[in-house]
Amino acid sequence: MTDLSTATRVKMHESGPEFSSVIWGSMRCEEQFSSVSELADHLRFLLDHGVTTLDTAPAYGIPHPYTVEEFLGKAIAEVGRDKFEIVTKLGIQRISPHREVNRVRHFDFSAKEIARSTDRSLEKLGIDQIDLILLHRPDYLMIPEETAGALDKIVAEGKVRHVGVSNFSPSRIALLKSKLKAPITTNQVEFSPLFLDPISNGTFDTALMEGHRPMIWSPVGGGRLLTSEEEHVTTIREKLAEIARTYDLDGPAEAAMSFVVRHPVGGVPIVGSGKRERVAGAIKAVNTDMDIQDWYDIITLTSPMLNL
Ligand SMILES: NC(=O)c1ccc[n+]([C@@H]2O[C@H](COP(=O)([O-])OP(=O)(O)OC[C@H]3O[C@@H](n4cnc5c(N)ncnc54)[C@H](OP(=O)(O)O)[C@@H]3O)[C@@H](O)[C@H]2O)c1
């Protein structure tokens, strides 16, 4: 019988990496935890439930971008680096006192920035190797040969084990792939009952054809699914609450998790909650099979545009 309280293991691509079936996202961790030891306790809780994969990015930080990696790195050091798979990203240039050179928000996939950002992430996280690094958001000025060459170089140097992308369209994936030696092992994208684009814009079709599992960000819409008073969100929330009851799940957030993983692309949700009971609820939901008709019940309600 399936143990509903523990995440399972999933391979993101035939070449790896292997991750937990629920990933924990650190984007909000400075708001959620007031000290390194509090965050370390949360990481221990995650490990107890099989959640070994952590998602972060240099650009995360509140109130100022570029501080989360260091905070997370200190907590990882308390618990033990070898217990986790660490995913970070590169390319977003935000306005911050920690990046005074940035005048406007922009994206940079130049070889120089890829090398510099990788080295900074290794240092801030306090680790020798990054398990997976992602191009965070498309840089429309990307020179494919240069970006691909720089990614292959950080793999060859042993600084990262695997590479991937985030928020990439199918054509952008094809373009990068045509120049890259290393496999693209994931595309990290937004997907939830409030944001259905990947099922109809080719993102999930491409993932299935290419053989990579997407990582799913904001599976409960960053909390909007639970807190928004907009009429269409309230309607979706009520439907999710009803479906949650039939599966003995905690509530609408958990029904949304089950919805997200029901798609055959095998997406792996990145749970952003800092609350233990919500992470535990998400694990149970990911281990619960949603009936085809419940899935379409949600789709029909959320997206009349799909012409069902
Ligand atoms: N690649 C990208 O471009 C990109 C973009 C955004 C995010 N990400 C990654 O994805 C991760 C997850 O994103 P996310 O944080 O937006 O995910 P999420 O899981 O959709 O949202 C988490 C937020 O929702 C709140 N929440 C969860 N369950 C709730 C409930 N039942 N009732 C009320 N509030 C609830 C949480 O508050 P509590 O903490 O109080 O539970 C938290 O503030 C991030 O940490 C980051 O690693 C990637």
Side-chain angles (χ1 to χ4, degrees):
M1 213 173 105
T2 318
D3 174 5
L4 295 181
S5 67
T6 306
T8 56
R9 306 295 295 169
V10 290
K11 228 171 167 183
M12 304 305 287
H13 181 270
E14 63 175 8
S15 68
E18 189 181 287
F19 284 168
S20 49
S21 60
V22 168
I23 294 169
W24 188 71
S26 64
M27 184 174 74
R28 305 170 194 277
C29 69
E30 290 168 316
E31 289 172 305
Q32 294 161 331
F33 304 99
S34 56
S35 66
V36 169
S37 62
E38 253 186 41
L39 176 54
D41 278 347
H42 186 71
L43 298 186
R44 287 187 194 96
F45 165 81
L46 296 175
L47 288 178
D48 286 346
H49 293 270
V51 177
T52 57
T53 310
L54 306 176
D55 184 75
T56 191
Y60 296 158
I62 295 166
H64 300 299
Y66 302 105
T67 53
V68 160
E69 278 187 329
E70 195 172 344
F71 186 46
L72 180 66
K74 286 180 180 161
I76 290 171
E78 270 197 23
V79 182
R81 190 274 175 258
D82 56 335
K83 299 188 169 73
F84 299 99
E85 301 85 36
I86 301 171
V87 183
T88 194
K89 315 186 187 84
L90 60 84
I92 297 191
Q93 301 299 323
R94 297 177 69 189
I95 297 167
S96 161
H98 305 290
R99 288 285 186 289
E100 282 181 347
V101 57
N102 293 344
R103 285 180 290 112
V104 291
R105 183 173 186 261
H106 64 287
F107 309 95
D108 185 351
F109 290 173
S110 65
K112 195 171 163 196
E113 179 56 25
I114 289 173
R116 185 167 47 195
S117 188
T118 303
D119 287 345
R120 275 200 193 121
S121 289
L122 287 168
E123 191 191 325
K124 293 205 169 201
L125 287 162
I127 60 177
D128 296 330
Q129 190 180 46
I130 294 159
D131 293 290
L132 170 63
I133 203 159
L134 309 177
L135 299 178
H136 200 155
R137 274 182 190 272
D139 166 14
Y140 295 103
L141 301 180
M142 170 176 88
I143 298 164
E145 294 81 358
E146 179 180 341
T147 300
L151 290 175
D152 282 328
K153 186 160 183 271
I154 54 176
V155 173
E157 290 169 342
K159 293 178 177 176
V160 309
R161 286 180 63 217
H162 299 280
V163 300
V165 296
S166 177
N167 305 300
F168 263 44
S169 67
S171 63
R172 288 252 130 195
I173 289 185
L175 175 62
L176 183 66
K177 189 187 166 194
S178 71
K179 309 291 176 192
L180 190 66
K181 289 197 198 94
I184 295 174
T185 60
T186 192
N187 186 14
Q188 186 178 122
V189 294
E190 182 175 12
F191 181 49
S192 76
L194 294 181
F195 190 83
L196 299 171
D197 291 15
I199 62 172
S200 58
N201 69 4
T203 298
F204 283 176
D205 299 341
T206 298
L208 284 163
M209 285 189 291
E210 295 290 334
H212 63 246
R213 280 177 194 268
M215 295 169 74
I216 306 298
W217 61 265
S218 292
V220 297
R224 194 164 77 88
L225 188 57
L226 296 315
T227 53
S228 170
E229 292 307 323
E230 291 166 78
E231 197 184 330
H232 81 282
V233 180
T234 311
T235 311
I236 295 166
R237 185 160 62 234
E238 282 166 5
K239 172 58 71 182
L240 289 167
E242 179 193 318
I243 290 175
R245 282 192 287 277
T246 62
Y247 292 93
D248 194 27
L249 296 175
D250 292 348
E254 290 69 25
M257 293 293 169
S258 201
F259 166 85
V260 159
V261 299
R262 179 64 176 79
H263 192 284
V265 75
V268 186
I270 315 172
V271 175
S273 175
K275 304 230 160 58
R276 292 179 181 201
E277 66 278 13
R278 290 180 181 165
V279 177
I283 295 167
K284 182 176 175 191
V286 166
N287 285 332
T288 301
D289 283 333
M290 182 173 280
D291 179 72
I292 184 171
Q293 296 195 48
D294 288 327
W295 195 85
Y296 273 100
D297 207 3
I298 296 165
I299 286 278
T300 310
L301 199 65
T302 55
S303 190
M305 300 303 288
L306 286 175
N307 290 328
L308 290 166

